[in-house]
Structures are given as C-alpha cells and as structure tokens.
Amino acid sequence: SITGETVELLEPYLDMEDYNLETAKKVCGNVAGLCSWTQAMAYFYGINKEVLPLKANLALQEGRLAAAQTELNSAQIQLDEKQMELDEVQATYDAAMKEKQALLDDAEACRRKMNNATALIEGLGGEKLRWTASSKNFQNQITNLVGNVLLATGFLSYSGPFNQEYRNLLLLLWKKEMDNKKIPYSNNLNLTGMLVDNATVGEWNLQGLPNDDLSIQNGIIVTKASRYPLLIDPQGQGKIWIKNKERNNGLQVNS
C-alpha cells in the first residue's frame, strides 16, 4: 500500500543525518525499530517499483508460456496422431512395395520362361520336318525289316565263299525272288552299314584289315556268322588282322 507520495513525504526525514537506528535508540529505544522500518519500507518501495513491471511482464510471459505450452501439447497430440497415421500408411506402402516387387519378380520369371518356351517351340518347329521324315523313314524300316533281315542273314550264311561280283549277283537274285513273293525290303539297303558301324570298321582298319568293300564284308562274315570261318588268305592280310584283333583275348597261334 505504500505510494510514491508517501515516500516523497518521507524523503526530508530520511535525508537527515540523525534519522537512523543508532540515534533513535538513544532518544527512545522502544520506537527505534520504527525508524529502521520506515527506511526499509522506502528502500523496498524503490526496489519494488522496478520489480513490479518485471513481475507483471513475468506473469504475462508465464501466461503466454502456458498458452504456448497448451498449444504445444495440442500440437504434440496432433503430431502423435499424424505419426501413427504415417506409420500405418508407411506400413501399407511397404507392404504394397513388397507385393509389387514380388509381382515384378514373378513377371520377370514368367517372362524368362516364356522366352525359353518360345525359343524351344521355335527350335522344335524347325525340327518338325526332320522328325516327320524320320518318322516316315522309321515306318519304312519297320515295314521293310523282315526283308532286310532276310537279305542280311542270307548274305552271312551263303556269300562267304564268293567274290564281290558273285555276291552282288546273289543279292540281285534274292531281291528278285522276294519281289515275286511280295516280301518288302529297302531298295537302297546297304548290308555293310546294316551289319557294322563305321567306328568298328575304322578299328578293323587300324588292326590291319584292308578298307575295300570285299575285305569289310569278309570281316563282317568272320565276326557275325554263327559258324567258324575258313579264310583263304594268300596275301596274309586276314591273318594279320585276326592276330591283332584277338591279341588281347589270349589268341593262341600254332604256326
């Protein structure tokens, strides 16, 4: 309740030299405290005069701070809510991206399979003509199998003693007889190719058998016929071949 007017009325007294606690104690000790109290109140007023605006500003700023804190709390609540929504959206997005990547991987794998299948189909399409021809050839072989086997067995059984010319004549006679009996056979039949493969012929050549048709036919008769062959071999070529061929089988030679 102290006012500036009151302090102003006190100032003449406060400025006196004898207006102090020590002098007041000498005059009247019971009221000396009042002298010190008035000085303290005047000093307090001066200090409080500067503090009051600060206190008012402090209260104002505290109010602002409270309002700002309230707004901050509200904003924090909204932020938390939005963060939760963002997390849900992010989880949905991640799941969608994962599904998208899985679909892309499946699509790429399917595309690779389709490309491989297309290449395979195109490659197989190019083989269609060959397969058709092979199938037809196999059917012809099945149809002609009886006649071909009959010619081969006749060749093995009866052509051994004869030369190349007479062997060819025998085949012509047999084919004519088969035509009469309507027994199918291959017109282009190669008995040598039917009875022995090229790798075996090559091995025989390395063992000393000559490479002409008659010698190869003789080799077929020797190896395929069920009866023991008798070789008339003035040049000794058959003898050399048999020794080399049977060397690893423990062949014993008398002379």
Side-chain angles (χ1 to χ4, degrees), residues 191-225:
L191 289 176
T192 301
M194 180 180 179
L195 295 172
V196 70
D197 56 75
N198 293 330
T200 302
V201 173
E203 185 177 359
W204 289 351
N205 295 149
L206 293 176
Q207 293 166 349
L209 184 69
N211 197 30
D212 60 277
D213 291 340
L214 181 63
S215 297
I216 294 174
Q217 290 178 359
N218 291 336
I220 293 173
I221 295 172
V222 168
T223 57
K224 301 293 183 179

Side-chain angles (χ1 to χ4, degrees), residues 47-66:
I47 296 300
N48 195 43
K49 185 178 180 180
E50 298 179 359
V51 172
L52 284 177
L54 297 177
K55 293 175 66 176
N57 186 47
L58 175 61
L60 177 62
Q61 299 303 326
E62 288 178 345
R64 291 180 178 177
L65 175 61

Side-chain angles (χ1 to χ4, degrees), residues 14 28 38 44-45 56 84 101 180 183 214 218:
L14 296 175
C28 182
T38 57
F44 169 77
Y45 175 79
M84 291 177 62
Q101 187 61 44
N180 294 332
I183 300 175
L214 181 63
N218 291 336

